[in-house]
Structure formats: C-alpha cells, structure tokens
C-alpha cells in the first residue's frame, strides 16, 4: 500500500504514539481489503459510543488515546439522552459510566452529537469521501448524497477521524458502485409515505442481501429515501442503492443495466407487513427525525393529548434548531429525545408491543427490545398514541 512521505513519518511515530497506532490500524485494514492508498475524508461518524457495548475495556482504551480529530466527527446514538437520562429512568451507575465514555470522546475532539443522521449537522456533498459507521447513515451518504463511505467499525472510524484519511477501497471506488440487481415496483406509489418506503426497504433487503439495487418505478423524496435505505441496510446489508431518475449517481451516470437480474415486487407483498395489532407504546425517529418530520408530527399533535407513551428521536442539533416545534410536540405529552433511539435505549424494553413508522425499527425492535413491532404511517402512529 502506497504511503506518502507525511504518512510514512506518521507511521514512524513522528506525530506521537496515538497517531502512529491509528495509522497502523488504517494500513492494516487497507491491506486486508486491497486498498492501494489512503484517501482524505470530509467527516467521520464513530460507533462504539454506548457503554453497554464497549464496557470498561473500551473506556480504558479510549482514555489511553492522546490525539484530536482533524475532521468533523460525531458519535452513533447511545443508550440515554445525555441531558434527560433521569426522565428515562436510566440507572445512575450506568449513566455515570456512559458519561465517562462521552467525555473520553470529547477529549479526542469528537463533537458530542450522538446521531445516525450526521448529514443534517455537517455539510456532506456529492463525491465526498467519509468514514461513517451507522448503516442507515452509510446508506444515505452513498445513495442519496452520492458521497463515498464503507461501513466502518468503531475503531476504524475513530482512527480515520484522528488521521483525516481512510483506506481507499470498496465503495470509495467508482467501479464498486454500479447496480447489481433491478427492483421493479408494479404500483402507482404516488400516495406512499415514509412508512411504506420503510416497508419496501424491509422487504427488499431480505431479497437482495448485500447487492446494490437499482429501483425503477418509484420517486421517493428525501425522508422516504432515508426510510428505504435504513430498512434495506437492516434486513439486508445494502450500503448503496440507486433509484432511476432520483438518486444522484443514477441521474449522472448511464448505468449499463442490461442483463441484470430483475425482481418484481407487487404492492400486496408490501401491504401484508401492515397489521393492526394492539400496542402499548409508539416510537418515531428511526433514523432520527428530519426537521420536516418533526414539523409533520407537531401538526398532527396540535391540540391533542397522548394517551400512550409516544417517543420521538432526533439529533440534538436538530432539536435545538427546531425548539418551538419540539415544545409544541411535547405539549401533547409526547417526548422528543436526543442522543439515543428506540432500539439502543433500554427504556423501550418495558413494552410488549411497539408501533413504529420505520422498516428498520420493524426489523430490530423484536430482537433488541423484546417487543412485537407494528408498522404504520406517521398519521396512524399519532392516531394510536392519542386514541
Ligand atoms: Fe438510528 Fe437507532 Fe434507527 S441508530 S437508524 S434510530 S436503530
């Protein structure tokens, strides 16, 4: 693997032991995956922020590092909202250890945003190289923005944040970004909302595994694309997809799709995912809500009071910028939490059936929260919460 003179000096330890070790890690990853060189990144998103996942060993490792991020970097969602953990009934001992993890990242120059939607916080553009970890964020960056990132593990993303580079292989290379299977939807999807795109992603991910799908016959907006990609990354391992005439690389490139396998999906196959089982809580914001989604929820909750717990999740920076909308939502009794989510927070484990508007949550809630999951539109979610 080629290293430029600056990288060679860093590898020899001239920039300190932490950067030396981090570069060793990136070079080792690069060699495993056949990278020819490193590439500069615009930002990083680091998983491994939850104390539940990394424990004392991980905390000790983070505390031993001595360098600061040289590109904007954020964290993945953690098990609790940092400012409101008491309200969620989080164990104080756990909260203290989680706080220690967060402070260790802060010392490394990582921005204390814990979110799967870093694209709402740091400008990310077509062609940017990134080192992001969370699967829905990776899917959005690659597919909707046309940026380039592999799905990084926590240490690899942190190393990339501290060095400002990542090994150039996989989805960083144009030759690995071409469609591999065509998905044709036999439906007039004009009335489809976010949940139905999430359900389509849930269904498609199981069919395509880790192939790159090329959708024909749909025209989703940004929030619908977010839902589609997040679900495909959950039930499959889709890190990049294209939508004919919609996503940037599909618009820019004349992909040669002749001869690719075609999978035709009928609307009834998606409809059967929507049930009407009774639920005891409702959760929205997987992936974390956009400003438009928050505004929509506020509109639906106007002059209403929730009778079931309604949890909404969004990035702290988005909550702060939309505080009037968030206050309007919370007036109904619903709660808008930052830093965490319905899947990683232990608070959802107290419920037996949870309604969501996300295909990814539909896939993860049963295993991660031990509850039955039901998917519905945002209108249906709010209607169930105020029933
Ligand atoms: Fe984000 Fe948690 Fe869903 S990390 S994509 S809200 S499972």
């Amino acid at each position: 693997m080629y290293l430029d003179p600056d990288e060679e000096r860093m590898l020899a330890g001239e920039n300190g032991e932490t950067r030396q070790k981090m570069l060793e890690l990136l070079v080792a990853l690069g060699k495993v995956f056949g990278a020819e060189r490193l590439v500069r990144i615009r930002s990083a998103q680091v998983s491994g922020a939850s104390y539940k996942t990394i424990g004392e060993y991980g905390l000790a490792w983070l505390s031993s590092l001595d360098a600061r991020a040289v590109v904007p970097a954020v964290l993945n969602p953690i098990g609790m909202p940092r400012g409101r953990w008491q309200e969620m009934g989080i164990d104080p001992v756990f909260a203290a250890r989680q706080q220690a993890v967060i402070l260790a990242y802060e010392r490394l120059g990582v921005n204390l945003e814990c979110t799967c939607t870093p694209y709402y916080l740091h400008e990310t553009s077509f062609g940017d190289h990134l080192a992001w970890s969370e699967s829905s964020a990776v899917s959005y960056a690659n597919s909707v923005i046309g940026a380039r990132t592999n799905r990084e593990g926590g240490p690899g993303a942190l190393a990339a944040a501290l060095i400002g580079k990542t090994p150039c292989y996989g989805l960083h290379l144009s030759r690995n970004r071409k469609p591999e299977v065509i998905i044709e939807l036999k439906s007039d999807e004009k009335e489809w909302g976010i949940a139905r795109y999430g359900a389509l992603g849930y269904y498609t991910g199981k069919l395509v595994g880790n192939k790159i799908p090329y959708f024909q016959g749909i025209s989703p907006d940004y929030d619908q694309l977010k839902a589609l990609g997040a679900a495909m990354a959950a039930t499959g391992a889709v890190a990049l997809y294209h939508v004919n005439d919609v996503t940037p690389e599909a618009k820019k490139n004349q992909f040669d799709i002749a001869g690719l396998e075609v999978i035709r999906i009928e609307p009834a196959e998606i409809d059967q995912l929507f049930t009407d089982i009774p639920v005891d809580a409702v959760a929205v914001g997987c992936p974390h809500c956009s400003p438009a989604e928050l505004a929509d929820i506020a509109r639906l909750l106007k002059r209403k009071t929730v009778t079931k717990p309604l949890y909404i999740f969004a990035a702290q920076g988005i909550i702060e910028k939309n505080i009037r909308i968030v206050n309007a939502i919370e007036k109904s009794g619903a709660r808008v939490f930052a830093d965490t989510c319905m899947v990683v927070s232990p608070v959802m484990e107290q419920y037996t059936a949870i309604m969501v508007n996300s295909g990814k949550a539909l896939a993860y809630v049963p295993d991660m929260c031990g509850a039955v999951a039901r998917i519905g539109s945002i209108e249906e979610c709010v209607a169930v919460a105020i029933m």
Side-chain angles (χ1 to χ4, degrees):
M1 186 171 162
Y2 167 78
L3 296 181
D4 69 23
D6 286 343
E7 292 160 0
E8 289 287 6
R9 281 193 289 276
M10 199 180 286
L11 199 60
E14 282 191 22
N15 300 70
E17 195 187 340
T18 295
R19 287 194 204 285
Q20 180 187 28
K21 294 274 175 257
M22 292 292 118
L23 186 52
E24 279 173 7
L25 195 155
L26 295 180
V27 170
L29 275 174
K31 284 183 178 165
V32 168
F33 291 105
E36 291 178 0
R37 62 185 177 91
L38 298 171
V39 63
R40 282 189 191 285
I41 56 163
R42 188 160 187 194
S43 63
Q45 190 240 4
V46 183
S47 60
S50 167
Y51 178 71
K52 193 172 158 188
T53 319
I54 69 168
E56 279 304 309
Y57 180 80
L59 176 56
W61 180 71
L62 287 174
S63 306
S64 73
L65 302 177
D66 185 19
R68 288 183 66 80
V70 294
V71 294
V74 299
L75 295 170
N76 226 17
I78 55 175
M80 62 179 209
R82 278 172 296 145
R84 297 172 77 177
W85 57 268
Q86 292 98 332
E87 215 179 306
M88 259 200 176
I90 301 288
D91 170 30
V93 176
F94 176 86
R97 302 318 287 156
Q98 180 63 74
Q99 192 59 20
V101 173
I102 293 297
L103 291 177
Y105 276 113
E106 187 174 38
R107 208 176 48 79
L108 298 173
V110 175
N111 183 346
L112 295 193
E113 273 283 2
C114 308
T115 181
C116 50
T117 54
Y119 39 88
Y120 294 148
L121 305 173
H122 295 295
E123 198 184 329
T124 308
S125 309
F126 185 89
D128 284 348
H129 292 273
L130 316 167
W132 288 9
S133 292
E134 198 280 320
S135 66
S136 78
V138 167
S139 168
Y140 194 93
N142 280 318
S143 315
V144 184
I145 300 174
R148 298 182 171 212
T149 178
N150 292 313
R151 187 178 175 193
E152 300 288 346
L158 180 59
L162 298 179
I163 303 292
K165 296 176 184 177
T166 195
C168 192
Y169 69 92
L171 293 176
H172 290 284
L173 302 170
S174 300
R175 64 172 181 265
N176 297 326
R177 299 178 64 87
K178 294 176 186 155
E180 295 172 319
V181 54
I182 297 172
I183 306 294
E184 245 181 47
L185 196 74
K186 291 279 171 204
S187 162
D188 175 7
E189 42 73 75
K190 288 204 170 48
E191 300 303 316
W192 281 30
I194 290 170
R196 204 155 278 270
Y197 275 103
L200 174 64
Y202 176 98
Y203 193 76
T204 308
K206 291 185 176 188
L207 299 175
V208 302
N210 64 357
K211 287 190 187 151
I212 299 174
Y214 184 88
F215 285 88
Q216 292 184 323
I218 59 172
S219 49
D221 65 21
Y222 286 118
D223 283 325
Q224 293 164 348
L225 287 165
K226 180 174 76 166
L228 174 69
M232 280 193 291
T235 56
V238 177
L240 165 64
Y241 65 94
H242 303 289
V243 180
N244 183 39
D245 278 341
V246 175
T247 53
E249 282 173 74
K251 284 208 264 189
K252 201 167 150 44
N253 300 325
Q254 293 292 318
F255 286 126
D256 179 10
I257 55 171
L260 291 183
E261 177 194 1
V262 180
I263 298 176
R264 293 189 175 82
I265 296 180
E266 300 291 336
E269 296 171 83
I270 308 304
D271 290 346
Q272 44 98 20
L273 296 171
F274 290 77
T275 64
D276 57 2
I277 55 167
V279 298
D280 46 4
V282 181
V284 176
C286 172
H288 280 174
C289 286
S290 66
E293 287 176 286
L294 289 175
D296 213 23
I297 296 165
R299 178 181 61 76
L300 292 167
L301 283 170
K302 200 168 178 187
R303 288 191 280 277
K304 305 279 190 325
T305 303
V306 298
T307 56
K308 283 191 181 63
L310 171 55
Y311 296 90
I312 296 146
F313 300 94
Q316 182 65 34
I318 294 301
I319 291 176
E320 282 166 10
K321 279 197 193 136
N322 296 275
I323 197 66
R324 284 175 59 182
I325 290 173
V326 168
N327 288 341
I329 291 173
E330 294 209 330
K331 221 168 155 186
S332 71
R335 285 290 165 264
V336 183
F337 288 118
D339 304 324
T340 188
C341 80
M342 63 191 79
V343 168
V344 298
S345 166
V347 76
M348 303 309 295
E349 291 167 13
Q350 63 187 298
Y351 304 111
T352 55
I354 301 170
M355 184 157 184
V356 298
N357 71 334
S358 152
K360 174 167 179 174
L362 182 69
Y364 278 13
V365 160
D367 283 346
M368 301 290 287
C369 309
V372 176
R374 165 182 168 190
I375 189 168
S377 67
I378 187 61
E379 289 80 8
E380 288 164 339
C381 285
V382 169
V384 164
I386 63 177
M387 200 180 275

